Amino acid sequence: IWPLGHISALNFALGMTLGVALFAIGAGAVHWARTLMSDEEVADERHAIEADTETRAKVHADFKQGAKESVIGRRKLIRNTMLGALTLVPLSGVVLLRDLGPLPGTSLRHTMWSKGKLLVNMNTNEPLRPADVAVGSLTFAKPEGLEEHDEGFMNEIAKAALMIIRLEPDAIKDKRELEWSHEGIVAYSKICTHVGCPISLYEQQTHHALCPCHQSTFDLADGARVIFGPAGHALPQLRIGVNDEGYLEALGDFDEPVGPSFWERG
Ligand code: FES
């Protein structure tokens, strides 16, 4: 009885012989490289990069001859017109740059967050209270007053989106993170500092947040520092507190630009 079930003997023989053949080719290549190839090192000297005197003299002579035959030296109007045109060429670049639109100014450094803005649950559209955030859960939040139908919503949410998690205060290793939290609730930018994907995975046991794009991993119990992957910076943290009515609120804007780390961080 053939022991491998539905695999036919012919296929098995084909696989085996192909495997043996590839192994034999590999073994032969290794043997050839180690025992038969010569160990002698061969260096090919580079020739001088600079042209010899005779060639340079010929190029100079050809250039002078060409300039003479073009009569450009004697036709001052043509020459000056040409020089003027060449001077104006870079101006077209200035016009092209202008067409890129207004300069971003400081808009890339600021988000909608400011002192007193409530943290609103992105799914329910309700302001968050500390009791709404359970230990180990991941909640996404936006600033109050930012609605999906608003013009410019995508631009604003791309900078202001937050991840809210609650940790046991004892588990928070970073001193500033602890100070900027409220009863273990911490708010971090949801925008990956690599190339700006939204982070969406959170591992409760390790407190790691994972970016699905290129697997950058951030330790949310240790200042969201990068522990794996291509991201160059920790995720920015938003300082939060609770207002008189018991809702979670921002205590200011991020103190550094959110998102990709190619911005020069001041
Ligand atoms: S965008 Fe997050 S790892 Fe690349």
Side-chain angles (χ1 to χ4, degrees), residues 68-127:
K68 194 170 156 201
E69 284 174 7
S70 72
V71 296
I72 204 112
R74 283 191 283 129
R75 306 285 174 139
K76 288 211 169 79
L77 180 64
I78 297 177
R79 188 194 61 194
N80 292 345
T81 311
M82 191 177 78
L83 290 177
L86 286 175
T87 314
L88 290 175
V89 164
L91 280 183
S92 57
V94 175
V95 176
L96 281 178
L97 285 176
R98 260 189 70 92
D99 282 353
L100 290 176
L103 290 172
T106 58
S107 64
L108 298 171
R109 298 194 162 268
H110 301 294
T111 70
M112 266 189 78
W113 292 109
S114 59
K115 187 162 171 33
K117 277 239 161 164
L118 299 185
L119 278 59
V120 173
N121 187 319
M122 258 202 242
N123 293 325
T124 63
N125 231 12
E126 296 292 331

Side-chain angles (χ1 to χ4, degrees), residues 8 14 23 32 50 71 80 134 141 143 148 155 163 173 181 197 205 208:
S8 79
L14 194 62
F23 179 79
W32 176 66
E50 191 182 31
V71 296
N80 292 345
E148 270 184 46
N155 282 347
M163 285 186 293
K173 299 180 207 147
S181 67
C197 283
Q205 301 298 324
H208 292 170

Side-chain angles (χ1 to χ4, degrees), residues 192-197 199 211-216 218 229-231:
C192 181
T193 54
H194 179 217
V195 289
C197 283
I199 297 170
C211 175
C213 288
H214 313 98
Q215 283 72 53
S216 284
F218 304 87

